[in-house]
C-alpha cells in the first residue's frame, strides 16, 4: 500500500501519468499580443508553459475561438480562425519546451523529448464559412477538432445558447460531420443544442467528444449534458471533458452568473448610449461585472470532482477526461486558480478512494485513446 501523503501521491501521479487537457482559450487572450512569452510564468490568465509543467500536463489543446459577431461579415470568421491558428504556430515554435503535435505519434515524440505537446482545436462552426473546402484548409493548418457551434446558431447547426433555426443539423451540417470523419478530425459537441447533438451522434461514424461540458444532473445549465447524452457519447467511444467554470458546476452560481451577465450587457448598452465610446462602455461594464462576480460565494473544487464522479458513474470510467476551459472562463473553483493547481483535483479524488489506475485514465489515457482512434 502506498504510504505517501495524498498531496505527494497526486504530484507524483501528475509527473508520471500522461495528462491531457482538451480545451484552453489562451490564444484568444494572449497570442495576438506583441511580446507575449508563453514560456514565461504569468500572473494573468490560467495557462502558460511553466504552469502546464507544474500540473504535469503533457498535451494541451489550444483553441482558435471565433467570436459570434464575425459571422455577419463574409470571410471574417475564417480569417480570424486562420489568424489564431497561425499565432499558435508562431508562439509554440518560439517556446522552448513546447512543440506542435498532429497525432498520437507526435504526442509520444514530444513526451519522449520532455516537451509539452500542443494540439489545435477550432471553436465555432461558423469558422468554415459554410464551406467544406474551408474546413479542409483548417485541417491543413493543423486543426484536429471542430466544435460544431459556439453559443451562436450558425447556418447549419443549432447552438445550446441561441434560438433554434434548423431543428438540429441541416443536410449540409451532416455533410460537415461526415467530412470531419473523413479528415480524421474530432467532432466536438460542447455548445450544441440537444437536437444538434443527436443529429451529430447519428451522422458520425467515429467517436465524438464534448470537450468542455459537465453533468446537467448536478448543475442544470444548457451547456451541460443530460445523463442520456453522456451515455450516448460513451457509446460512440468518446469522452466528456469536465469544465472548471463554476457556472457549469453549481446551479445557484450559474443562475447568479446569468443574471450578472445580462445586467452587464444592459449596462454596456446604456454606457455606450450615454457617452458614445464603445470601448470605454465595454471596459466600464466589465469592471462592474468583475466586482459582482468577485462577491459571489466561491464554489469548492470538490464540485468539479463531483462531476468527474457522476460522469464516470453514468458512462464508465473510460469516458471521462479533462477540458477545463481555462482562459475562456471568468472565474474558477476555490483552490483551482490556474492550471498549475490541477493536482489538487487529483488529491480530492485520491482522498475519495480513487485508484491511480482509474485516475490515469481520466487525466489523459481516455483522451489519448480517442486521439489515437480518430486522428491516428
Amino acid at each position: 500500500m502506498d504510504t505517501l501523503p495524498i498531496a505527494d501521491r497526486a504530484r507524483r501521479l501528475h509527473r508520471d501519468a500522461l495528462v491531457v487537457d482538451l480545451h484552453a482559450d489562451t490564444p484568444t487572450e494572449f497570442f495576438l499580443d506583441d511580446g507575449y512569452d508563453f514560456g514565461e510564468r504569468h500572473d494573468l490568465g490560467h495557462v502558460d508553459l511553466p504552469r502546464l509543467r507544474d500540473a504535469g500536463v503533457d498535451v494541451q489543446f489550444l483553441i482558435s475561438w471565433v467570436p459570434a459577431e464575425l459571422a455577419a461579415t463574409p470571410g471574417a470568421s475564417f480569417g480570424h480562425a486562420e489568424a489564431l491558428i497561425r499565432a499558435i504556430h508562431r508562439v509554440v515554435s518560439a517556446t522552448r519546451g513546447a512543440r506542435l503535435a498532429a497525432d498520437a505519434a507526435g504526442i509520444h515524440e514530444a513526451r519522449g523529448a520532455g516537451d509539452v505537446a500542443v494540439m489545435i482545436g477550432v471553436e465555432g462552426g461558423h469558422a468554415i464559412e459554410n464551406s467544406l473546402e474551408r474546413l479542409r484548409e483548417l485541417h491543413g493548418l493543423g486543426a484536429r477538432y471542430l466544435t460544431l457551434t459556439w453559443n451562436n446558431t450558425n447556418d447549419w447547426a443549432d447552438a445550446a445558447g441561441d434560438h433554434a433555426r434548423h431543428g438540429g443539423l441541416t443536410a449540409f451540417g451532416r455533410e460537415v460531420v461526415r467530412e470531419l470523419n473523413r479528415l480524421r478530425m474530432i467532432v466536438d459537441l460542447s455548445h450544441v443544442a440537444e437536437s444538434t447533438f443527436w443529429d451529430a451522434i447519428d451522422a458520425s461514424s467515429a467517436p465524438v467528444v464534448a470537450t468542455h461540458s459537465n453533468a446537467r444532473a448536478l448543475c442544470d445549465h444548457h451547456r451541460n449534458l443530460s445523463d442520456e447524452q453522456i451515455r450516448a457519447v460513451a457509446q460512440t467511444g468518446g469522452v466528456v471533458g469536465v469544465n472548471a467554470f463554476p457556472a457549469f458546476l453549481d446551479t445557484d452560481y450559474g443562475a447568479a452568473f446569468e443574471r450578472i451577465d445580462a445586467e452587464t450587457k444592459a449596462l454596456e448598452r446604456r454606457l455606450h448610449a450615454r457617452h458614445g465610446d464603445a470601448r470605454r462602455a465595454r471596459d466600464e461594464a466589465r469592471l462592474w461585472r468583475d466586482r459582482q462576480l468577485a462577491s459571489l460565494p466561491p464554489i469548492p473544487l470538490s464540485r468539479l470532482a463531483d462531476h468527474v464522479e457522476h460522469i464516470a458513474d453514468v458512462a464508465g470510467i473510460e469516458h471521462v477526461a479533462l477540458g477545463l476551459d481555462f482562459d475562456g472562463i471568468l472565474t474558477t473553483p476555490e483552490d483551482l486558480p490556474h492550471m498549475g493547481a490541477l493536482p489538487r483535483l487529483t488529491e480530492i479524488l485520491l482522498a475519495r478512494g480513487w485508484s491511480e489506475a482509474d485516475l490515469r485514465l481520466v487525466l489523459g489515457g481516455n483522451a489519448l485513446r480517442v486521439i489515437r482512434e480518430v486522428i491516428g
Side-chain angles (χ1 to χ4, degrees):
M1 184 173 178
D2 200 325
T3 58
L4 285 173
I6 285 176
D8 291 339
R9 287 177 61 200
R11 285 191 291 269
R12 184 191 64 189
L13 185 57
H14 278 252
R15 285 195 307 270
D16 295 344
L18 177 79
V19 181
V20 181
D21 180 68
L22 292 170
H23 196 95
D25 286 298
T26 312
T28 294
E29 293 299 309
F30 301 110
F31 281 19
L32 297 178
D33 295 347
D34 290 338
Y36 174 78
D37 185 351
F38 187 60
E40 179 181 322
R41 188 182 300 274
H42 297 273
D43 293 328
L44 294 175
H46 302 135
V47 175
D48 49 44
L49 185 62
R51 287 181 285 185
L52 289 170
R53 291 201 181 282
D54 288 347
V57 174
D58 299 285
V59 185
Q60 179 65 65
F61 274 85
L62 294 179
I63 306 308
S64 173
W65 167 71
V66 184
E69 61 269 19
L70 295 183
T73 304
S77 296
F78 178 81
H80 186 81
E82 180 184 25
L84 268 182
I85 290 174
R86 294 193 185 283
I88 293 169
H89 279 267
R90 183 176 64 254
V91 169
V92 172
S93 66
T95 303
R96 185 186 299 275
R99 67 167 74 185
L100 286 165
D103 51 25
I107 290 171
H108 290 300
E109 289 172 8
R111 196 168 188 228
D115 293 338
V116 173
V118 170
M119 300 188 75
I120 299 171
V122 173
E123 185 173 23
H126 53 297
I128 70 170
E129 305 271 359
N130 302 327
S131 164
L132 296 182
E133 182 54 38
R134 290 296 201 196
L135 175 58
R136 295 175 197 123
E137 289 181 55
L138 292 175
H139 177 263
L141 289 168
R144 290 299 179 264
Y145 76 66
L146 177 70
T147 313
L148 298 186
T149 72
W150 185 56
N151 287 334
N152 53 306
T153 290
N154 57 47
D155 288 338
W156 46 270
D158 289 331
D162 200 357
H163 299 296
R165 287 165 44 195
H166 316 296
L169 286 176
T170 67
F172 177 73
R174 288 176 175 269
E175 285 187 56
V176 171
V177 172
R178 289 192 291 268
E179 184 65 6
L180 287 166
N181 291 165
R182 191 191 69 79
L183 291 169
R184 306 198 70 164
M185 287 179 69
I186 296 172
V187 177
D188 177 21
L189 301 183
S190 286
H191 284 286
V192 304
E194 286 198 42
S195 53
T196 301
F197 176 95
W198 293 114
D199 283 351
I201 290 282
D202 180 66
S204 181
S205 60
V208 302
V209 303
T211 57
H212 55 302
S213 295
N214 290 334
R216 194 177 299 169
L218 300 187
C219 176
D220 188 11
H221 193 284
H222 65 261
R223 275 283 284 106
N224 290 340
L225 303 182
S226 69
D227 287 357
E228 186 181 11
Q229 288 176 297
I230 291 168
R231 281 190 288 268
V233 170
Q235 287 165 5
T236 73
V239 295
V240 176
V242 292
N243 189 315
F245 190 27
F248 305 155
L249 296 174
D250 181 87
T251 301
D252 290 341
Y253 190 102
F257 176 83
E258 294 292 330
R259 173 184 56 77
I260 291 168
D261 186 54
E263 292 177 4
T264 301
K265 291 171 182 174
L267 176 61
E268 183 176 348
R269 290 192 294 270
R270 292 197 303 272
L271 290 170
H272 188 206
R274 182 184 305 165
H275 53 60
D277 186 330
R279 181 183 293 274
R280 176 183 164 191
R282 182 198 64 192
D283 291 345
E284 290 178 1
R286 289 181 178 179
L287 281 173
W288 178 88
R289 176 200 66 192
D290 292 346
R291 289 195 296 270
Q292 300 305 305
L293 291 176
S295 71
L296 295 178
I299 298 304
L301 183 53
S302 60
R303 287 295 287 164
L304 181 55
D306 294 342
H307 282 263
V308 172
E309 292 196 312
H310 183 85
I311 295 168
D313 288 343
V314 168
I317 191 66
E318 300 86 359
H319 302 287
V320 195
L322 303 175
L324 298 169
D325 207 5
F326 276 143
D327 288 324
I329 56 179
L330 295 174
T331 59
T332 64
E334 197 171 28
D335 295 326
L336 189 66
H338 52 69
M339 181 63 84
L342 181 60
R344 293 175 184 169
L345 174 63
T346 301
E347 289 178 34
I348 292 172
L349 293 168
L350 283 169
R352 292 182 181 185
W354 277 53
S355 71
E356 292 194 9
D358 283 349
L359 282 165
R360 286 175 183 271
L361 293 177
V362 173
L363 289 174
N366 293 333
L368 179 63
R369 184 196 71 244
V370 174
I371 291 167
R372 186 182 292 117
E373 182 170 347
V374 179
I375 299 172

